[in-house]
Amino acid sequence: METQKEGFGSKIGFILAAAGSAVGLGNIWRFPYLAAKYGGGIFLLTYIILVVTFGFSLMVTEISLGRKTGKSVIGAYKHADKRFSFLGPVAALVPFIITPYYCVIGGWVLKYLVTFVSKDVVASTNDDFFGNFITHATQPTVFFIIYALLTGLIVIFGVEKGIEKVSKILMPVLVALSVGIAVYTLTLPGAGEGVKYYLLPNFEGFTVAKFLKTIVAAMGQLFYSMSLAMGIMVTYGSYMRKQDSIEGSTRQISFFDTLIAILAGLIIVPSVFIFSGGNADQLNAGPSLMFITLPKVFDSMKGGQIVGATFFILVAFAALTSSVSLLETMVSIVSEKFGLKRVASTAVCLLVVFVFGMLSVLGYSVLDTLTIFGMQMLDFFDFISNNVMMPIVALLTCILIGFIVKPKYIEEETTLNGEKFKSKGLYEVMTKFVCPVFMIIILLSGIFVDL
Ligand code: PHE
């Protein structure tokens, strides 16, 4: 029996859900520190150019592929060309790798949220707080499970009643919170210096080699931030209404994603700058920036507990709409493949998340001797998905569209309602030539620099 295909009920619902997927931890902690590291305004400008060219083209491809075929990522690639059937399972594997550890980090965010809401800010500023927390076996497990169940709950309600509804509420709140906290931060004395550092191009010590590194870093960030090359946008595309514009929606999703990243930088860079007395080194704290440096910054601010609690609510919302898209992608694959109902396939997928997530959670405590290429489990999952699998999926997708089925295959879908595909020329050049070359560079540099 053919069941009615689920889908988004409105254009804005689709845009907000896809933007919800894109806006996540990557925007909030990764983008600001990369911008600070790679010359402020130079990084920003490079990033924005890449979003409107490279990110735009890949996103149009993925959404169109999904909508045209109406299938999950596995069926979609097969439908496009039988010889590329293998690409579906490769792309599908990515969310299976990312979701478990994304939920682990989501659990960390919940822990900080609880800490700030319960007014225990001072405790979180202790240097060992984060270390003690993640090396504890049970606490992070409990937070991880709560976070994963929360994600599961939204997915169980389905596309329109779960994902769309939640995104329609959370995304506007998220924008409001980001603007609110950013405005507050900018009023703090000394914030101006931080803003200058963040927004103005800094050419000091900027060599050609550093510029190339900046492009590679911006590219890597773009991928992750726009949730590309892992079947998510294909899945969401398959739920998109035929009457809505793919090109327009892609522009709006990219705009949202970039806006939140820039706002997050306006919160984090000036705060850390003020806190450290203008010493930008603190910004290089990388992953620990959000969990170790920022709580100290909040603690030193007037009203820091409220700002901190609001900030972690913001992060939790951003993370949640992303993990929902990841889990939904898994669920769509499992239900299509095994013919399971939504509830059953969500349960199966959650089970996978629990089992693999535990490897990441316990990788900091009981299983800390378990490493692959010298990386802890969480880092390994992150490395293999971001540096290896995603560039491969993107590269082969561009080859498939650019040379096998030809861009016309996608263009038919974008012009379905007689609308014009305004960026057709750009799209073709990007898909055929620029993206593949960049993907090869990313792939090589990601593997050789990180290993
Ligand atoms: N795009 C999300 C972010 O910026 C991350 C993400 C990655 C979401 C993979 C879903 C899947 O954080």
Side-chain angles (χ1 to χ4, degrees):
M1 192 184 71
E2 183 78 11
T3 47
Q4 163 102 47
K5 171 109 179 124
E6 280 192 87
F8 290 107
S10 62
K11 181 172 180 213
I12 188 72
F14 167 74
I15 292 173
L16 291 181
S21 167
V23 174
L25 296 168
N27 303 54
I28 300 181
W29 71 256
R30 204 158 175 265
F31 182 88
Y33 97 83
L34 283 179
K37 182 169 169 189
Y38 291 103
I42 305 177
F43 181 86
L44 238 57
L45 197 65
T46 312
Y47 184 80
I48 291 173
I49 293 175
L50 290 179
V51 169
V52 296
T53 51
F54 181 92
F56 167 79
S57 305
L58 264 178
M59 194 178 269
V60 165
T61 296
E62 293 200 11
I63 295 178
S64 308
L65 200 58
R67 194 173 78 172
K68 186 170 179 124
T69 59
K71 298 245 187 315
S72 82
V73 66
I74 295 196
Y77 281 105
K78 193 165 167 192
H79 187 279
D81 189 284
K82 284 260 173 323
R83 287 164 297 171
F84 277 71
S85 299
F86 68 95
L87 201 50
V90 179
L93 203 57
V94 181
F96 281 83
I97 298 175
I98 296 185
T99 319
Y101 83 78
Y102 204 84
C103 288
V104 171
I105 304 179
W108 297 352
V109 174
L110 281 190
K111 162 78 182 173
Y112 273 75
L113 176 58
V114 170
T115 308
F116 270 83
V117 170
S118 63
K119 306 209 162 100
D120 208 4
V121 193
V122 184
S124 72
T125 61
N126 182 326
D127 270 337
D128 299 329
F129 180 83
F130 182 62
N132 285 343
F133 167 62
I134 62 169
T135 51
H136 200 271
T138 47
Q139 264 218 28
T141 306
V142 172
F143 279 104
F144 154 62
I145 292 180
I146 296 176
Y147 182 89
L149 287 177
L150 216 57
T151 307
L153 193 68
I154 300 175
V155 171
I156 280 186
F157 279 100
V159 179
E160 194 173 350
K161 293 207 192 73
I163 301 174
E164 179 167 351
K165 223 177 185 161
V166 169
S167 307
K168 272 182 166 169
I169 301 169
L170 293 193
M171 292 310 287
V173 175
L174 197 127
V175 175
L177 287 182
S178 320
V179 173
I181 313 180
V183 168
Y184 175 78
T185 321
L186 297 182
T187 60
L188 296 174
E193 282 305 302
V195 175
K196 268 196 214 144
Y197 180 79
Y198 176 50
L199 294 181
L200 295 182
N202 173 12
F203 288 103
E204 206 183 291
F206 220 83
T207 54
V208 173
K210 184 149 186 209
F211 185 57
L212 288 180
K213 271 196 194 151
T214 305
I215 298 182
V216 172
M219 225 30 187
Q221 169 65 11
L222 175 90
F223 242 109
Y224 188 78
S225 188
M226 292 178 78
S227 302
L228 295 170
M230 56 188 111
I232 291 186
M233 291 301 164
V234 178
T235 310
Y236 274 20
S238 76
Y239 302 143
M240 187 187 186
R241 301 189 311 175
K242 287 279 186 195
Q243 67 263 43
D244 296 334
S245 153
I246 293 182
E247 189 175 14
S249 304
T250 301
R251 294 249 179 259
Q252 293 183 37
I253 299 164
S254 324
F255 174 76
F256 252 117
D257 189 49
T258 312
L259 176 76
I260 299 285
I262 293 177
L263 282 174
L266 280 177
I267 297 172
I268 294 177
V269 180
S271 315
V272 173
F273 217 74
I274 299 168
F275 171 76
S276 60
N279 174 5
D281 288 348
Q282 294 267 358
L283 281 165
N284 286 331
S288 59
L289 180 69
M290 192 163 87
F291 294 110
I292 298 179
T293 317
L294 267 185
K296 291 187 195 166
V297 175
F298 292 137
D299 185 49
S300 72
M301 271 182 195
K302 216 169 98 218
Q305 190 234 328
I306 298 178
V307 181
T310 321
F311 176 80
F312 281 106
I313 292 178
L314 164 81
V315 182
F317 283 0
L320 204 57
T321 46
S322 295
S323 49
V324 162
S325 72
L326 282 162
L327 187 64
E328 174 62 30
T329 303
M330 294 170 67
V331 168
S332 81
I333 293 163
V334 169
S335 50
E336 190 180 285
K337 184 103 196 131
F338 302 103
L340 290 180
K341 287 251 163 57
R342 175 166 284 272
V343 177
S345 50
T346 310
V348 171
C349 294
L350 276 180
L351 202 67
V352 175
V353 171
F354 288 144
V355 172
F356 284 92
M358 285 316 289
L359 286 178
S360 293
V361 176
L362 300 179
Y364 294 98
S365 49
V366 205
L367 297 179
D368 64 354
T369 47
L370 185 67
T371 57
I372 303 184
F373 298 130
M375 288 179 243
Q376 255 160 343
M377 293 314 288
L378 194 151
D379 297 327
F380 174 72
F381 289 140
D382 186 60
F383 168 79
I384 196 82
S385 49
N386 286 306
N387 294 14
V388 184
M389 297 175 72
M390 285 159 64
I392 292 180
V393 172
L395 173 65
L396 293 176
T397 305
C398 290
I399 294 176
L400 168 69
I401 303 299
F403 300 97
I404 313 289
V405 296
K406 304 278 156 60
K408 211 170 141 274
Y409 183 83
I410 296 296
E411 287 156 14
E412 275 164 13
E413 190 63 25
T414 57
T415 53
L416 201 63
N417 303 310
E419 68 214 278
K420 228 172 122 48
F421 185 15
K422 294 194 210 90
S423 310
K424 183 167 166 227
L426 170 84
Y427 175 77
E428 292 189 1
V429 174
M430 291 306 298
T431 308
K432 283 185 139 163
F433 308 110
V434 186
C435 295
V437 172
F438 267 97
M439 279 351 297
I440 293 174
I441 298 176
I442 292 257
L443 192 59
L444 296 178
S445 70
I447 295 180
F448 294 111
V449 176
D450 274 24
L451 266 190

